[in-house]
Amino acid sequence: PTPQGLALQGLRVPPPEPQGMGDFSAPYVPGELLVLPGGLTPQGLTARVAGARVEKPLEGGFLKVRVPEGKERAKAEELLRTGARWVQPNYLYFPLYAPNDSLYPPSLSDPSRLGPYLDLLRMEAAWDRVRATAYPCTPIVAVLDTAFNLGHEDVGSLFLPGYNATPDGLGEENLDPSPPPSGFAYSPDDNADHGQGVAGLVAALADNARGIPGLGLNRVRVFPMKVFYWTGGGYGSTSAVLAQAIRKAADQGAVVINLSLGSETPLDAVVQEALVYALSKGSLPVAAAGNDSREGLRYPAAYPGVLAVGAVRKDGARADFSNYSSTLTDLVMAPGGNGDPPEKLWSLALGRDYPSYASLGNYVRWAGTSFATPMVSAIAALYVAHYHALRGTSPSPDQIKVCLEMTASNGGHYDSQTGYGIVRADRVLTDTTYCFP
């Protein structure tokens, strides 16, 4: 339709030309830069930078420049020094894959769906890279927790036969909730479904049209280890049990040991020595920061060598219950819900009842740093699989930490409330500065 009345007086003002350098942490084509040369000729620009060659001009005044692979950022800085106005990578764009699991896609009627939480991690972009890569190895994440049901409808073969590290009398292969002693009973706070929920976020079956997808997208397996039982008049674990399980997980070849548990104990020499042993075997401990909403991390998250995980809510801010640390430490963040206003996210429950414990069902809504932690564990395991596929070897625990921390949302800077920020799975699988140097 033809506009009537007063003529439109506004003029469309073109945006100013960019100046400086683009972001090299995003996925890009190796060995290619896009350059706005400013007042220099293409030949004059590249003649001053060794190894740079103009491939062709692009519309808008840009040049496509070939540089040595692995030297993209360094050559971009050289080009800027010689007079280029703007230099950026030739970024990659992907069709974003979304799994068909029923509790994944966003829903106005169900704010606990997993998809919006995983958007903070850029999981769909990372999954596109995973689906396009053949992985010769399947990394294992050991989950040390309460109880597990290997026959759950959303597990399949992604949960390995586990190990009962407790002296509860049920046998080493029995992962059922430990029976309470006479005169005791499970309370709502003694949640034996916790372990299944944690493990599900790592390795629940993806694309099976039910429940949730594990972040490992069927490329990561869980070694379930029961460490909680009735001891000392309550439901918990001990130094001896935890240390034994950590050592066994490392001996079984777990690339990540997920510890969604914690204590106020500032020095537990037995557990700390087991963590050192695990690191020496190439296993990275990943532990929950704690749900006390205070300065200072719980242990084992606070021990040297451990990657600590705090929780953020759906808008990316620190969850009100999540512990934090103003002291520089290995702390990253992942979605874990919130307390007030309440936010929870779907994961697995045990899905069967036991003589001493009634399960919450097949699926239940969870919140806490306990559930942020397995998200980071799964991304770390995917990084190991991707690294092995490209390099033929596995990264060390220190390499994994550096990759996840330096590519997280705080841009390599440490913040007292959020550490290095929210883990960015898309960058973890593509970054050529810290992850694939």
Side-chain angles (χ1 to χ4, degrees), residues 182-376:
S182 178
F184 290 83
Y186 282 96
S187 73
D189 294 332
D190 300 323
N191 202 327
D193 290 86
H194 186 277
Q196 190 84 354
V198 169
L201 289 169
V202 176
L205 278 170
D207 268 333
N208 63 340
R210 66 176 64 182
I212 66 161
L215 275 68
L217 203 70
N218 302 339
R219 274 74 168 179
V220 175
R221 302 181 82 180
V222 160
F223 180 37
M225 307 186 75
K226 186 171 69 171
V227 297
F228 279 81
Y229 67 113
W230 287 84
T231 179
Y235 186 59
S237 192
T238 66
S239 301
V241 167
L242 197 55
Q244 177 200 358
I246 291 169
R247 284 175 162 274
K248 186 172 182 66
D251 289 339
Q252 293 293 315
V255 298
V256 177
I257 301 175
N258 189 95
L259 299 159
S260 291
L261 47 83
S263 170
E264 291 289 342
T265 305
L267 176 60
D268 185 336
V270 175
V271 170
Q272 190 169 13
E273 195 276 335
L275 293 169
V276 171
Y277 176 81
L279 288 163
S280 73
K281 299 280 286 187
S283 300
L284 175 65
V286 179
N291 302 328
D292 310 298
S293 187
R294 62 163 173 79
E295 161 78 28
L297 307 181
R298 289 267 183 162
Y299 294 88
Y303 286 129
V306 177
L307 181 59
V309 183
V312 295
R313 59 195 193 198
K314 202 179 295 184
D315 66 1
R318 181 178 64 85
D320 56 7
F321 52 72
S322 183
N323 289 7
Y324 51 94
S325 175
S326 58
T327 303
L328 180 66
T329 189
D330 292 310
L331 172 65
V332 294
M333 310 297 282
N338 195 55
D340 184 20
E343 288 184 10
K344 293 187 176 184
L345 50 92
W346 285 107
S347 190
L348 308 188
L350 285 169
R352 55 173 284 216
D353 291 337
Y354 302 86
S356 57
Y357 182 79
S359 171
L360 300 175
N362 280 320
Y363 306 92
V364 70
R365 295 174 174 89
W366 298 100
T369 56
S370 280
F371 300 94
T373 304
M375 296 189 186
V376 173

Side-chain angles (χ1 to χ4, degrees), residues 4-46:
Q4 302 294 320
L6 295 173
L8 298 175
Q9 298 300 314
L11 297 177
R12 180 171 296 175
V13 179
E17 285 190 340
Q19 188 164 0
M21 189 168 68
D23 182 357
F24 279 79
S25 65
Y28 57 82
V29 179
E32 293 185 6
L33 297 175
L34 305 182
V35 182
L36 192 62
L40 296 176
T41 65
Q43 294 77 14
L45 188 69
T46 57

